[in-house]
């Protein structure tokens, strides 16, 4: 497994960078502990969470080399530190994914974090280079380790628990009367 900084094509938000099917937002709302008034509010929450994760350099692009078949008929993951061209020329496909920590928790799990799994958007027509990635699934840390061999310590940390975020919450907000008068 090789990991690289996730570099969005557009400003650090999910909008324009990551396609999110409405059905996935609905699914997410059904499986999380946190309560959101509706799917649209949850979508905006995940959009802002994506921005936080990108800005905090927590979103990483993982690359796996897929080689041969395992005994059960599936592809085997192999570490890949080469660029795409070298890996493809050497022996097969490169699987790419990114992971987002939305600070959401699986319902009934006792506070187990759910991560968004982001994959290249190969199945949808991207318009004008929008949505080069898509949200594919939601998994716990254990499920990610089983499926992708990515250890818990390699997963993105919570942006909302980072020192810089918490420090900003402690700052006193001062709104001057002139601001209100001029808006």
């Amino acid at each position: 497994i090789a990991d690289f900084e996730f570099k969005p094509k557009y400003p650090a938000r999910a909008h324009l960078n990551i396609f999110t099917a409405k059905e996935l937002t609905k699914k997410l709302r059904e499986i999380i502990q946190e309560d959101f008034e509706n799917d649209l509010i949850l979508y905006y929450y995940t959009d802002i969470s994506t921005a936080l994760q990108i800005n905090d350099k927590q979103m990483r692009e993982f690359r796996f080399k897929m080689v041969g078949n395992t005994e059960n008929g599936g592809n085997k993951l192999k570490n890949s530190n080469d660029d795409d061209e070298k890996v493809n020329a050497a022996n097969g496909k490169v699987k790419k994914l990114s992971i987002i920590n939305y600070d959401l928790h699986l319902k009934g799990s006792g506070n187990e974090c759910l991560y968004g799994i982001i994959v290249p958007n190969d199945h949808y027509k991207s318009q004008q280079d929008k949505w080069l990635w898509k949200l594919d699934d939601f998994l716990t840390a254990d499920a990610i380790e089983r499926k992708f061999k990515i250890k818990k310590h390699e997963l993105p940390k919570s942006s909302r628990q980072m020192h810089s975020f918490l420090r900003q919450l402690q700052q006193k907000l001062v709104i001057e009367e002139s601001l209100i008068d001029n808006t």
Side-chain angles (χ1 to χ4, degrees), residues 12 47-57 159-160 165:
D47 186 42
I48 297 304
S49 297
T50 301
L52 290 170
Q53 289 280 279
I54 292 170
N55 290 335
D56 291 337
K57 307 268 190 261
S159 289
R160 290 177 177 83
F165 185 86

Side-chain angles (χ1 to χ4, degrees), residues 2-3 12 39 61 69 73 85 91 108 120 122-123 128-129 135 177:
D3 81 279
D39 294 352
E61 181 181 321
N69 287 328
E85 293 79 24
N91 186 12
D122 297 330
H123 301 293
Q128 303 166 359
D129 291 330
L135 179 61
E177 194 171 323

Side-chain angles (χ1 to χ4, degrees), residues 11-70:
R13 303 238 338 247
H15 180 70
L16 299 180
N17 287 305
I18 301 168
F19 175 77
T20 303
K22 289 180 181 179
E23 300 81 52
L24 275 178
T25 303
K26 182 180 177 82
K27 173 189 172 186
L28 178 61
R29 192 164 162 230
E30 293 170 357
I31 64 173
I32 58 174
Q33 287 179 15
E34 293 78 8
D35 187 32
F36 287 85
E37 189 174 327
N38 58 48
D39 294 352
L40 186 59
I41 292 172
L42 176 57
Y43 172 79
Y44 285 119
Y45 173 88
T46 60
D47 186 42
I48 297 304
S49 297
T50 301
L52 290 170
Q53 289 280 279
I54 292 170
N55 290 335
D56 291 337
K57 307 268 190 261
Q58 289 301 304
M59 264 187 88
R60 307 293 299 163
E61 181 181 321
F62 294 92
R63 296 180 191 174
F64 308 87
K65 183 177 179 182
M66 306 299 287
V67 292
N69 287 328
T70 60

Side-chain angles (χ1 to χ4, degrees), residues 52-128:
L52 290 170
Q53 289 280 279
I54 292 170
N55 290 335
D56 291 337
K57 307 268 190 261
Q58 289 301 304
M59 264 187 88
R60 307 293 299 163
E61 181 181 321
F62 294 92
R63 296 180 191 174
F64 308 87
K65 183 177 179 182
M66 306 299 287
V67 292
N69 287 328
T70 60
E71 293 169 11
N72 63 8
N75 285 327
K76 182 178 175 183
L77 296 175
K78 183 177 179 183
N79 291 349
S80 167
N81 290 316
D82 299 325
D83 60 25
D84 292 348
E85 293 79 24
K86 288 180 185 174
V87 171
N88 282 329
N91 186 12
K93 265 172 91 170
V94 172
K95 180 174 179 69
K96 297 179 183 180
L97 68 92
S98 187
I99 301 172
I100 298 178
N101 184 334
Y102 290 124
D103 291 299
L104 297 171
H105 303 89
L106 183 61
K107 192 182 287 184
S109 71
N111 225 23
E112 192 170 5
C113 189
L114 267 180
Y115 296 88
I117 306 302
I118 312 300
V119 298
N121 190 2
D122 297 330
H123 301 293
Y124 296 95
K125 282 265 188 194
S126 57
Q127 300 172 354
Q128 303 166 359

